[in-house]
Amino acid sequence: MIDRRRFLAAALGTAAIPGALSRSVSPAAAQAGWQPIRMIQVFVGFQAGGGTDVIARLYAAAADEMAPVKFVVVNRPGGAGAIAADVVAHLEPDGYTLLLGGGSESTTLPHYTKLNYRLDDFKAIGRVSREHMVLVTSRKGPLDSVDALVKKAKANPGKLAYGSSGVGGILHAGFQAFEKAAGIELNHVPYRGGADAFKDVLGGNIEMTLVIPAEAKAQYDAGNAHILATLSDRSTIIPDVPSLKELGYPVVMDNMKGLLISSRTPAPIVRWHQELFTKVMKSDRMAELARKMNVELGYLDGPAFMKAMADTSNQVLALRKG
């Protein structure tokens, strides 16, 4: 696996240290509107070192040169991201607590289980990335194409196993969309995280899972994995890999990641975060870090990101209704 956490530790410096001190704010800046005076926490609902955590730390690193205070990543794994989302939805809406969300906790989980929050409990700051979900299998097995996978699945209903990051997560929903499009039945094996599922695919314990392009490419280059297709369009990281739609299976689903804030937050605070977000996303620093980490940036402003999440949520709702 790619040791992106080690790279980020070097790149971030002190950006992820909980005890980092606030920087001084100039009088001119203070007169322009709300300004933070202490560190801002970015909650991540998944383990440190995972894909969502990486995106949060990338943003923190890029924002470090532009914000008057530090952005600190706080990991609260559990519930496919729901635990962190619940925290941010109910904490004081003072601008010092953000959620790195947009995937499972925001778009799919509400259609699988009862939660203590809804998507409209948040307001979007902006989207950082649009993570392609990539269908992978082990080189140890014979499933080297989507056609081979579908053929074997139809001959063995419910026998081929796929791993996900949990029931109701975006990976689970992605596979259900694939099953419906292909007319097949697979066996769902939920894990604590997507990384654990990928390990079991590479070890030959389950047949398939969904990963981000950088992880797929690394294991393909190492001779460990087959890359079968993406679940949306083609990725610039693996441009030769077709989409399921190109192969005749009408599936279009992405795992988006961006910053969310409580919808109860006053407008001047939201505006400050959105203005900073735009500067960070357009900065050379963000482009440099994303390039080094093989992260595909997918900037959307707040309203557009909110609509994209709602569209995915509606897609999953329709899928669940059958």
Side-chain angles (χ1 to χ4, degrees), residues 274-289:
Q274 290 179 335
E275 290 175 355
L276 174 67
F277 184 84
T278 299
K279 293 177 183 177
V280 170
M281 290 299 296
K282 293 182 178 181
S283 69
D284 292 339
R285 176 65 167 159
M286 190 63 169
E288 176 190 4
L289 287 174

Side-chain angles (χ1 to χ4, degrees), residues 1-314:
M1 301 291 179
I2 300 173
D3 192 355
R4 295 180 293 178
R5 191 181 180 193
R6 181 178 299 173
F7 166 80
L8 286 169
L12 291 174
T14 60
I17 299 175
L21 298 176
S22 300
R23 302 174 194 170
S24 61
V25 180
S26 69
Q31 293 174 8
W34 182 83
Q35 285 279 329
I37 58 174
R38 63 178 189 271
M39 67 182 185
I40 295 169
Q41 295 181 314
V42 181
F43 277 75
V44 174
F46 301 91
Q47 296 172 334
T52 304
D53 177 74
V54 165
I55 299 300
R57 294 180 191 275
L58 280 175
Y59 183 81
D64 188 52
E65 298 177 355
M66 303 179 193
V69 298
K70 293 285 187 178
F71 280 71
V72 180
V73 176
V74 179
N75 297 93
R76 286 287 181 87
I83 291 178
D86 187 56
V87 168
V88 175
H90 293 99
L91 280 178
E92 183 70 20
D94 56 9
Y96 293 99
T97 307
L98 302 174
L99 174 70
L100 199 289
S104 301
E105 76 295 315
S106 308
T107 60
T108 64
L109 275 177
H111 304 303
Y112 289 83
T113 187
K114 185 177 181 179
L115 300 171
N116 294 321
Y117 65 87
R118 300 178 300 178
L119 182 56
D120 59 11
D121 287 327
F122 300 96
K123 183 167 290 186
I125 300 302
R127 190 177 75 177
V128 177
S129 67
R130 180 175 69 92
E131 294 183 350
H132 291 76
M133 294 192 288
V134 183
L135 179 60
V136 291
T137 59
S138 172
R139 287 273 183 97
K140 297 178 181 179
L143 305 180
D144 59 356
S145 69
V146 173
D147 285 345
L149 190 160
V150 171
K151 182 178 180 180
K152 187 168 183 179
K154 287 185 175 180
N156 302 274
K159 299 295 184 181
L160 299 187
Y162 69 88
S164 82
S165 54
V167 175
I170 191 76
L171 305 187
H172 184 196
F175 268 111
Q176 288 193 321
F178 175 45
E179 287 178 281
K180 183 177 181 180
I184 57 177
E185 179 185 353
L186 302 172
N187 177 27
H188 179 211
V189 181
Y191 288 78
R192 289 189 61 192
D196 292 338
F198 198 13
K199 288 178 183 177
D200 265 9
V201 169
L202 298 178
N205 298 315
I206 58 175
E207 278 77 20
M208 69 198 87
T209 192
L210 296 170
V211 299
I212 62 174
E215 291 172 329
K217 185 178 187 301
Q219 294 302 323
Y220 174 82
D221 290 345
N224 299 324
H226 291 299
I227 306 178
L228 273 56
T230 71
L231 265 66
S232 51
D233 54 359
R234 294 200 180 206
S235 164
T236 57
I237 293 174
I238 44 173
D240 295 332
V241 177
S243 67
L244 283 176
K245 189 175 181 180
E246 288 179 73
L247 298 175
Y249 305 97
V251 177
V252 180
M253 191 177 296
D254 289 313
N255 189 8
M256 299 176 289
K257 301 297 177 185
L259 292 179
L260 306 176
I261 197 168
S262 169
S263 60
R264 297 175 290 119
T265 308
I269 299 177
V270 175
R271 184 164 55 250
W272 183 90
H273 277 289
Q274 290 179 335
E275 290 175 355
L276 174 67
F277 184 84
T278 299
K279 293 177 183 177
V280 170
M281 290 299 296
K282 293 182 178 181
S283 69
D284 292 339
R285 176 65 167 159
M286 190 63 169
E288 176 190 4
L289 287 174
R291 184 170 55 253
K292 287 181 178 179
M293 294 309 299
N294 269 335
V295 170
E296 294 179 277
L297 297 178
Y299 169 77
L300 287 178
D301 64 18
F305 182 30
M306 205 72 190
K307 182 181 183 302
M309 287 187 290
D311 288 345
T312 299
S313 179
N314 290 334

